[in-house]
Amino acid sequence: MSTTSPSRRSSTQHLADIVVTAAESSQKINNQIFNIAQLRVSNMQIHGRDDDIKLLRSKLRDLAEKKDVGDEEYVAKSRAGEMVLVSGTSGTGKSALIHKGLGNPAAKSGYIFASGKFEDKFHRPLSAFSDAMTRLAKFITVDHNKMGKLSSGGQSIATLIRNKIQNEFEVEDAKQLRRVLPGCAELLGLGSRRRSKFSSFLCPSSHAAKEALFRSAPQLGSAKRRLQVSLALAGKESIAKMHYAVRRLLKIICSHLKGVVLFIDDLQWSDTATLDLLKSIVLDGEIPSLLIVGAYREDEVPDHHPLAFHIRELEQMNMSITKIKIGNLGVGYAIPLVAEALGMDDDDSKVKTLAETIHKKTEGNPFFILMFLRSLYDEKLLQYNFGVMKWTWDEDAVNSKIVTENVATVLVNKMNRLQEKTQRMLMVASCLGATFRLSAVMTVMKNISRVEMMDSMRASMRSVLGTAAAMGSSSASLLVLDLSNACEDQDGSDSSYASSIEEFEEEGLCEVDNEECRFMHDQIQSAAFELINPEQRDSFRGRIGNILLLSLSPEELEASLFEVVGLLNCAASNATDEERDELARMNLKAGIKASENAAFDTAKVYFKTGCEALGSRGWEGDYRAMLDLCSHGANACFVTGDFDSMNELIDEVLSKDIDTKEKYRVSDIKVNSLHNIGKFNESVNAALDFNRQLGLPAPRKKPASKFTIIREYIRVKKLLKDKTAEDIANLPELDNELYEMGQRMNEYLATCIYRVEPTMLPLIVFQSVTTVLKHGLSPSSSPGFAGLGLLLCGPFGKPHEGREMAKAAELILEKPGMRSRATYTIFITQCFCYHWTSPLHDTIEPLLEGYQIGVEIGDNGRACNCLLFRKFHLFFTGRALDSIQKELEATIQVMTQLKQDAHKLQITTLLTTVKKLRGIDAEAGDEILVSTLATAASNGDSLLSATVNLMKLEVFVFHQEWKKAIDLVRKAGNVRLFLTALFASVRYTFLEALTYVRAAQSATGWKKRQMKKCAHQTIQVLRGWAKNGNVNVVHYLYILDAELAVLDGKNKKAKDKFNAAITTSSRNGFLHDRALAHELASAYFKAQGDDYWGSYQIECSKRCYQEWGCIGKVEQLM
């Protein structure tokens, strides 16, 4: 028990309080003095950029205006994508300008400013964009209370956004987004899954991470599994699907926020995947209140740089890009910068002299101005004089230093003045990236030899000081390391690094935020990297990668896979064969992960590195890994357009003596690539050859005889028996990888055969349907039965049976796993099947839906097919030409955006026709059509040739140029064959018949009889279609019957048929055909001497042509 009295205790406590208060006061004064005597080199004002800041802030006001205008005006404004690009050399303050000009005012105005930065030495796909989206998601999910409550329902904006996203995204789409944007996992409703770089370290077993990684690498199991993997890696589809998903995500987020600014820094180091994604976002006119801002070093972006290419491409598409170019500061702005750093007046003569001197040496580069000031301070040439309460310096000493030192050595010399331990930590940190975690640095420091670190560091110091010395080669092994070999001079605890971490901040080198650390500038990271001996840099980085590989948990390793593999690849040249095998598999894993993120440029590098690691011994050793590397590599090369490398990899696999099924993936890529570049004959040959190697039926590439077609049709008919569409859709699933491969090849064959040898199409379709009926359903079954519907509706003349098969195709799509062919199926059913028994107008909306679904699932090629033929159907139904022209011009932009140049020729053909009918650029249009025909002939593209001939015939008929029309019909050949089942074939048949009738009317003798016979034969085809329920040809037949009556001199019948043609075309909505019927009727009445009715009919014709927008024709009739 204490014997101290209460009064004594009170007195003691009072004395203690006085001491504590005095100490705190002294500490506060010391802190103030310390702050006064410190240079201010961060969080400074922006000097000399007032106009640039005003321009940037005007962009925020533009976002607010778009949000405030009415709905229709807002939609119109928001459809114009916009981007701000700030360029300049390193150190000119691009990032600071954007943060000050946009970041700070955005936060004050209630906008979200989220940024990400690319790095020079690391190539994590979409890294900067992913980091920016992570910060955006964090603001929504963590800081959402700052956004307040909604007026209705009481939900926070964050909850509303999260619910909207989770309701609109299917699980698979959300999972794909999580792979690409891991920081958005919680927002996507998939649970928080920490994936930040090096989040924690040192699991109990150091080899567990490596083993888990290799276990998770794609093992070659059954051929069926390999087929599924290859089909999942349809590269261009995955890119399109990812772009669409990201745009949908941004649309949801931005529609609920006042405004969002995404800033992507250092675009000169961006991967192509990010540039493509940013372009897709900017071109999407439906993302509200979003501003994309980028910064890049202009001197590192030459004309051939991917960024320069993307900028030119956006400008060619009339996208608004605000460019801000900043340079070094003039001396007038360098003075206030130096004055602010010193806390002195900028009109002080000594400050001006110092600033002018530094400006001459640095050429006004803001970053180097501040670094020179800091170096003067470090060397005690710049000191704070508490007597006069200002900074003082010896001008002669300063001038001497500035004359003898160049800018490049300032930072390196600064590094060499740091503590040894700090230098070693900086060496490690420089290899981990511009942003790194302190725990990562400490883990490496604890598990790498101090002797080796010192050797590397001292070698670099001797190099800087000009005293070269020979260095021994590193004995580091790539994948073998004794983790117990720790530094000898430390206790290994985290606290032993505290002084170095403090020095990071005190010296203005890094910004430390708890566990995360960031170099203040790229130049500082580069200077830290310069501490490493150039001869040992690769092996040093390899050692760091190895330590992380052995220390990370499986989850951490998966999150940091690209960084770890990148570090290990640096030391690949020193690896043993066993280590190379493991390195190859790690690159395979990284490449597949990059492919899943739709970053195929990056993936291609990993696959190539993996192949090089295995070398020529790969096929004799781990041939399965080599096969995967070549197959995935070929796919990545195909997607990125590197066809030479693609063909080398394909040929390498095809030349090996392995199972044919193992060659499926590269064969699939080969066939697909040939199809995509328009080499349809070569694509057909490759597909048929592969099916033969599989032992599957494959017809010879030659015109199929009617006997063969009928024989195969009878066989299919027997298999079908009385099966309904529902019966077909309920067939079991195909469970044989060989037939799955064959079905995939048949898809390519059907598409290409239609263009080059349509008589073979029935054989391919019958083969596909037979496989389904005998072995079960696969994703290829839906387009297979749609193709059967095509044949039944078109060549076989059984449209009602064809509709039943089209229905079966649609029902198959509803089965699990079949949706990938939705757009393809819609395209076939709407373009080839339904118009035979339904109004053509009814196909227009479904084709638009097919386009939208295609964009959503990544099937851009078929999506553009739907869009293309929708435009043709609009034309064939007589939609106003000016609106069609606008849609066509917009469609060309869309196809450019989606990189579907193969469809442009057909779109251009239709656009040229529309312009000619409107009286615009007629001569130029003729040249375009001639050029397109030549291209079609060189590519063996009979479908394109037939389309051009149809469009030329349209112009000849409407312009009443009957001699040109009959010449075209005679020379063009069997155009209908190459337009099989399309409505274009119906339209051509009508125009062909009308041309024959008009030719007969002006001919005599045997020529007249020949033309009349041809007309009757062609008209008979139209009658057969009408008899089978084709409502779209009724008015065609009335027009043709009227002209036949004129030819035969049957005046009453001619009048009745002309009236019926006009009435029917008007009632069914074919405005252009009504105009033609009026014009033909006028010619008839005038030939009969009935000027009244002739004039009446021509006036009606002109009104219809005027309404249609056929201005050229109206002028002709004047």
Side-chain angles (χ1 to χ4, degrees):
M1 183 175 178
S2 175
T3 59
T4 306
S5 67
S7 61
R8 176 74 179 269
R9 286 198 302 270
S10 175
S11 176
T12 303
Q13 182 64 45
H14 179 66
L15 181 61
D17 291 342
I18 292 174
V19 172
V20 170
T21 302
E24 290 177 347
S25 176
S26 177
Q27 180 65 38
K28 185 175 181 181
I29 293 170
N30 288 336
N31 288 340
Q32 290 174 345
I33 293 173
F34 178 78
N35 290 335
I36 291 173
Q38 288 290 308
L39 283 173
R40 183 183 180 185
V41 293
S42 61
N43 196 29
M44 301 181 69
Q45 297 181 33
I46 302 296
H47 297 277
R49 315 290 192 203
D50 292 347
D51 291 341
D52 298 329
I53 289 176
K54 288 179 182 177
L55 179 57
L56 288 173
R57 291 180 178 176
S58 71
K59 298 303 174 184
L60 288 180
R61 291 193 296 272
D62 290 345
L63 288 184
E65 289 174 4
K66 286 184 178 182
K67 206 75 173 180
D68 293 338
V69 295
D71 289 343
E72 292 185 6
E73 185 182 355
Y74 168 71
V75 170
K77 282 192 173 189
S78 68
R79 286 197 179 280
E82 188 169 7
M83 190 177 199
V84 176
L85 291 176
V86 179
S87 63
T89 57
S90 176
T92 51
K94 303 179 293 296
S95 303
L97 171 66
I98 293 169
H99 280 281
K100 290 282 187 179
L102 282 175
N104 294 347
K108 293 177 182 177
S109 302
Y111 301 102
I112 298 180
F113 179 89
S115 64
K117 176 182 173 64
F118 282 106
E119 298 182 28
D120 183 18
K121 297 179 178 64
F122 291 97
H123 300 284
R124 179 163 55 96
L126 302 165
S127 59
F129 183 81
S130 177
D131 292 343
M133 290 297 294
T134 297
R135 293 183 174 93
L136 176 60
K138 179 179 178 295
F139 184 92
I140 295 171
T141 57
V142 178
D143 305 329
H144 63 273
N145 289 331
K146 298 177 182 179
M147 291 189 273
K149 301 288 184 178
L150 290 179
S151 57
S152 62
Q155 287 183 314
S156 69
I157 292 178
T159 302
L160 188 67
I161 291 174
R162 190 186 294 110
N163 291 342
K164 181 74 171 176
I165 291 171
Q166 293 173 12
N167 288 336
E168 288 209 6
F169 280 91
E170 295 182 4
V171 175
E172 287 305 314
D173 293 335
K175 286 182 178 178
Q176 183 196 30
L177 274 177
R178 184 176 68 179
R179 287 195 297 269
V180 177
L181 308 173
C184 296
E186 185 177 348
L187 200 61
L188 295 166
L190 297 173
S192 59
R193 181 179 172 185
R194 292 192 65 188
R195 296 174 65 90
S196 58
K197 289 199 290 185
F198 314 123
S199 55
S200 64
F201 288 93
L202 301 177
C203 59
S205 172
S206 61
H207 289 279
K210 181 175 71 173
E211 292 172 358
L213 174 67
F214 293 151
R215 283 198 302 270
S216 63
Q219 302 297 319
L220 289 177
S222 67
K224 181 176 182 179
R225 184 178 184 281
R226 294 197 300 276
L227 172 63
Q228 291 171 341
V229 170
S230 70
L231 293 179
L233 282 177
K236 295 184 178 180
E237 289 83 354
S238 66
I239 292 175
K241 188 174 182 179
M242 185 271 284
H243 286 185
Y244 182 72
V246 172
R247 296 199 309 268
R248 284 173 63 202
L249 177 64
L250 283 172
K251 183 178 179 181
I252 293 171
I253 292 173
C254 294
S255 62
H256 291 90
L257 298 174
K258 185 176 182 180
V260 174
V261 179
L262 289 182
F263 169 39
I264 311 299
D265 201 1
D266 283 323
L267 282 170
Q268 74 276 0
W269 295 326
S270 171
D271 57 327
T272 304
T274 300
L275 296 177
D276 287 339
L277 176 58
L278 291 176
K279 183 175 73 172
S280 175
I281 293 170
V282 172
L283 290 172
D284 190 319
E286 298 183 355
I287 303 175
S289 300
L290 173 67
L291 179 64
I292 300 292
V293 183
Y296 64 95
R297 298 180 183 179
E298 61 179 350
D299 55 326
E300 296 183 25
V301 181
D303 288 342
H304 61 272
H305 193 282
L307 176 59
F309 172 79
H310 278 76
I311 292 172
R312 288 194 299 270
E313 198 172 47
L314 283 171
E315 289 176 333
Q316 291 168 1
M317 300 175 72
N318 299 320
M319 291 297 107
S320 174
I321 300 179
T322 301
K323 294 182 179 180
I324 299 176
K325 182 177 180 179
I326 64 174
N328 290 336
L329 297 177
V331 67
Y333 293 111
I335 294 171
L337 175 63
V338 172
E340 183 186 0
L342 297 174
M344 300 174 67
D345 294 333
D346 56 11
D347 57 357
D348 188 308
S349 60
K350 292 197 68 176
V351 172
K352 288 183 178 179
T353 302
L354 177 63
E356 289 169 356
T357 303
I358 295 177
H359 182 272
K360 289 178 182 178
K361 191 63 180 179
T362 62
E363 298 181 350
N365 184 290
F367 174 73
F368 284 115
I369 288 175
L370 296 177
M371 287 300 101
F372 257 111
L373 278 173
R374 183 70 194 221
S375 70
L376 294 175
Y377 172 78
D378 292 338
E379 297 180 25
K380 311 273 188 220
L381 298 177
L382 180 66
Q383 299 187 41
Y384 192 81
N385 188 325
F386 287 96
V388 295
M389 296 298 287
K390 65 170 59 176
W391 291 93
T392 59
W393 56 89
D394 185 327
E395 292 185 0
D396 292 337
V398 169
N399 289 335
S400 176
K401 173 183 171 58
I402 292 178
V403 168
T404 57
E405 282 195 359
N406 58 47
V407 174
T409 61
V410 169
L411 283 172
V412 177
N413 288 341
K414 180 180 179 65
M415 300 286 177
N416 290 327
R417 289 191 293 269
L418 301 174
Q419 299 179 56
E420 174 199 310
K421 188 184 298 182
T422 304
Q423 291 184 48
R424 287 190 277 114
M425 290 183 71
L426 285 171
M427 289 167 60
V428 174
S430 70
C431 297
L432 298 180
T435 301
F436 55 92
R437 297 185 73 84
L438 292 172
S439 55
V441 177
M442 289 186 281
T443 295
V444 174
M445 293 289 290
K446 293 173 184 177
N447 295 287
I448 193 168
S449 167
R450 176 176 178 273
V451 173
E452 184 181 356
M453 290 277 289
M454 290 297 293
D455 283 346
S456 296
M457 182 177 64
R458 280 197 296 267
S460 180
M461 290 173 64
R462 288 195 295 270
S463 175
V464 171
L465 297 174
T467 58
M471 292 297 302
S473 62
S474 171
S475 60
S477 172
L478 176 63
L479 293 175
V480 180
L481 177 67
D482 181 4
L483 296 184
S484 65
N485 186 14
C487 298
E488 296 92 335
D489 65 337
Q490 61 188 39
D491 59 13
S493 65
D494 293 351
S495 61
S496 66
Y497 300 100
S499 62
S500 293
I501 295 171
E502 289 178 3
E503 195 171 16
F504 281 1
E505 289 191 285
E506 290 173 1
E507 296 296 327
L509 300 175
C510 299
E511 181 181 60
V512 181
D513 182 12
N514 294 323
E515 170 68 0
E516 190 169 281
C517 196
R518 179 178 67 86
F519 282 106
M520 295 298 291
H521 197 276
D522 298 325
Q523 295 283 358
I524 295 174
Q525 181 188 1
S526 297
F529 190 69
E530 288 295 320
L531 292 172
I532 309 169
N533 182 352
E535 295 179 0
Q536 291 184 312
R537 284 173 187 166
D538 286 342
S539 62
F540 186 72
R541 284 187 286 180
R543 290 292 302 275
I544 293 174
N546 184 45
I547 292 171
L548 297 176
L549 171 66
L550 301 176
S551 303
L552 292 173
S553 69
E555 294 76 14
E556 293 162 350
L557 184 56
E558 174 66 21
S560 308
L561 179 64
F562 297 121
E563 291 86 347
V564 173
V565 174
L567 288 166
L568 288 172
N569 283 340
C570 294
S573 59
N574 296 326
T576 65
D577 286 348
E578 182 181 354
E579 293 164 354
R580 285 174 175 273
D581 290 344
E582 292 181 333
L583 187 62
R585 297 181 66 191
M586 293 183 68
N587 275 279
L588 174 61
K589 171 72 174 176
I592 291 176
K593 184 176 180 180
S595 298
E596 290 174 346
N597 290 352
F600 288 94
D601 266 311
T602 304
K604 182 172 66 174
V605 174
Y606 286 120
F607 294 134
K608 181 179 179 182
T609 304
C611 287
E612 291 173 348
L614 290 178
S616 58
R617 61 185 181 79
W619 292 104
E620 288 73 30
D622 189 357
Y623 98 91
R624 294 182 180 278
M626 192 68 175
L627 175 64
D628 266 356
L629 285 164
C630 290
S631 300
H632 288 293
N635 185 64
C637 291
F638 165 55
V639 176
T640 57
D642 186 0
F643 294 112
D644 290 339
S645 298
M646 177 198 73
N647 287 325
E648 288 178 7
L649 291 168
I650 289 174
D651 291 343
E652 182 171 356
V653 175
L654 294 180
S655 66
K656 300 303 175 183
D657 185 19
I658 57 178
D659 192 328
T660 301
K661 288 185 288 188
E662 304 277 16
K663 301 178 181 180
Y664 165 73
R665 283 180 293 173
V666 294
S667 298
D668 181 271
I669 295 164
K670 180 177 181 179
V671 172
N672 193 13
S673 64
L674 290 168
H675 168 261
N676 272 268
I677 62 177
K679 294 185 176 182
F680 303 114
N681 280 301
E682 290 90 336
S683 181
V684 169
N685 291 334
L688 290 173
D689 182 59
F690 183 74
N691 276 354
R692 291 189 192 101
Q693 291 180 42
L694 288 175
L696 297 175
R700 294 180 60 189
K701 185 175 173 292
K702 64 177 184 178
S705 66
K706 290 183 179 180
F707 173 79
T708 303
I709 294 172
I710 293 172
R711 181 191 66 202
E712 295 304 316
Y713 172 64
I714 292 172
R715 290 175 178 173
V716 170
K717 192 77 172 172
K718 288 180 180 179
L719 288 172
L720 279 170
K721 295 181 180 177
D722 297 322
K723 286 185 175 64
T724 64
E726 289 77 10
D727 294 333
I728 294 169
N730 289 322
L731 289 170
E733 186 176 347
L734 177 64
D735 190 25
N736 184 308
E737 70 273 11
L738 185 144
Y739 288 111
E740 182 109 19
M741 294 174 185
Q743 290 289 70
R744 175 71 169 174
M745 288 297 168
N746 284 337
E747 274 193 74
Y748 291 127
L749 282 168
T751 303
C752 296
I753 282 288
Y754 185 91
R755 289 177 172 271
V756 298
E757 189 51 71
T759 61
M760 288 183 64
L761 180 63
L763 305 183
I764 303 301
V765 172
F766 293 155
Q767 179 61 44
S768 178
V769 170
T770 298
T771 301
V772 174
L773 296 173
K774 288 184 175 180
H775 303 284
L777 297 171
S778 70
S780 300
S781 302
S782 180
F785 274 91
L788 181 58
L790 176 160
L791 295 174
L792 292 171
C793 289
F796 286 69
K798 299 176 182 289
H800 297 289
E801 293 182 21
R803 282 185 73 95
E804 186 69 10
M805 294 301 101
K807 180 182 176 183
E810 292 173 343
L811 290 175
I812 292 171
L813 289 178
E814 298 176 7
K815 308 285 285 186
M818 303 295 178
R819 187 169 178 261
S820 62
R821 304 302 196 276
T823 300
Y824 193 16
T825 301
I826 291 172
F827 166 64
I828 297 174
T829 57
Q830 298 298 329
C831 291
F832 297 89
C833 300
Y834 289 141
H835 69 83
W836 292 99
T837 53
S838 300
L840 183 63
H841 300 75
D842 292 351
T843 66
I844 292 172
E845 285 307 311
L847 284 172
L848 181 59
E849 181 183 355
Y851 162 74
Q852 293 167 337
I853 293 173
V855 172
E856 179 180 346
I857 65 177
D859 192 357
N860 284 350
R862 273 71 177 259
C864 286
N865 270 334
C866 290
L867 201 58
L868 168 66
F869 281 90
R870 179 178 181 272
K871 305 307 181 220
F872 274 101
H873 287 194
L874 287 173
F875 178 79
F876 293 142
T877 53
R879 187 71 60 90
L881 292 177
D882 58 342
S883 68
I884 293 178
Q885 181 175 337
K886 291 176 183 177
E887 284 201 37
L888 287 170
E889 290 167 346
T891 300
I892 291 176
Q893 297 265 353
V894 169
M895 290 184 175
T896 299
Q897 177 185 347
L898 297 179
K899 298 184 178 180
Q900 295 295 320
D901 294 340
H903 298 85
K904 281 187 181 179
L905 286 175
Q906 286 188 309
I907 280 287
T908 302
T909 298
L910 180 55
L911 178 60
T912 301
T913 303
V914 169
K915 286 184 174 181
K916 284 173 67 69
L917 291 171
R918 297 190 68 204
I920 302 172
D921 297 333
E923 293 184 4
D926 290 336
E927 294 177 1
I928 291 173
L929 294 179
V930 170
S931 173
T932 304
L933 271 178
T935 301
S938 64
N939 291 339
D941 190 346
S942 301
L943 174 60
L944 180 58
S945 296
T947 302
V948 173
N949 284 320
L950 167 60
M951 292 294 101
K952 291 177 69 175
L953 188 58
E954 288 274 8
V955 175
F956 293 154
V957 169
F958 279 109
H959 286 175
Q960 304 284 294
E961 296 175 322
W962 300 111
K963 186 177 185 308
K964 291 182 179 179
I966 194 64
D967 288 343
L968 184 149
V969 167
R970 286 174 169 175
K971 293 177 182 177
N974 191 357
V975 172
R976 279 203 303 264
L977 175 64
F978 297 103
L979 298 173
T980 297
L982 286 167
F983 185 81
S985 68
V986 178
R987 182 69 181 178
Y988 185 86
T989 303
F990 162 64
L991 296 176
E992 181 185 28
L994 183 58
T995 299
Y996 281 134
V997 174
R998 295 291 296 194
Q1001 289 176 359
S1002 61
T1004 58
W1006 67 269
K1007 191 173 183 180
K1008 179 176 183 176
R1009 291 191 297 273
Q1010 183 187 35
M1011 292 296 102
K1012 187 175 180 180
K1013 179 181 178 181
C1014 291
H1016 276 293
Q1017 289 175 343
T1018 310
I1019 292 171
Q1020 197 59 35
V1021 174
L1022 288 166
R1023 293 194 196 284
W1025 293 337
K1027 185 177 180 181
N1028 284 325
N1030 193 328
V1031 297
N1032 300 297
V1033 302
V1034 175
H1035 67 288
Y1036 291 169
L1037 287 172
Y1038 282 134
I1039 292 174
L1040 292 169
D1041 285 342
E1043 287 296 316
L1044 282 176
V1046 172
L1047 177 62
D1048 294 335
K1050 299 177 180 179
N1051 295 330
K1052 184 177 184 307
K1053 183 178 180 180
K1055 292 178 183 179
D1056 292 341
K1057 294 299 181 180
F1058 275 127
N1059 286 334
I1062 292 166
T1063 302
T1064 307
S1065 57
S1066 176
R1067 182 175 63 245
N1068 291 348
F1070 293 92
L1071 176 63
H1072 59 324
D1073 292 333
R1074 178 186 174 187
L1076 178 62
H1078 278 300
E1079 184 180 8
L1080 294 174
S1082 172
Y1084 163 72
F1085 283 114
K1086 286 185 177 180
Q1088 294 297 310
D1090 191 340
D1091 292 337
Y1092 173 80
W1093 281 108
S1095 299
Y1096 171 77
Q1097 294 289 351
I1098 202 67
E1099 288 301 318
C1100 291
S1101 178
K1102 284 193 286 187
R1103 283 199 301 271
C1104 290
Y1105 278 128
Q1106 184 76 40
E1107 185 179 348
W1108 185 36
C1110 191
I1111 308 303
K1113 182 64 182 181
V1114 174
E1115 293 174 353
Q1116 184 189 65
L1117 294 177
M1118 289 299 191

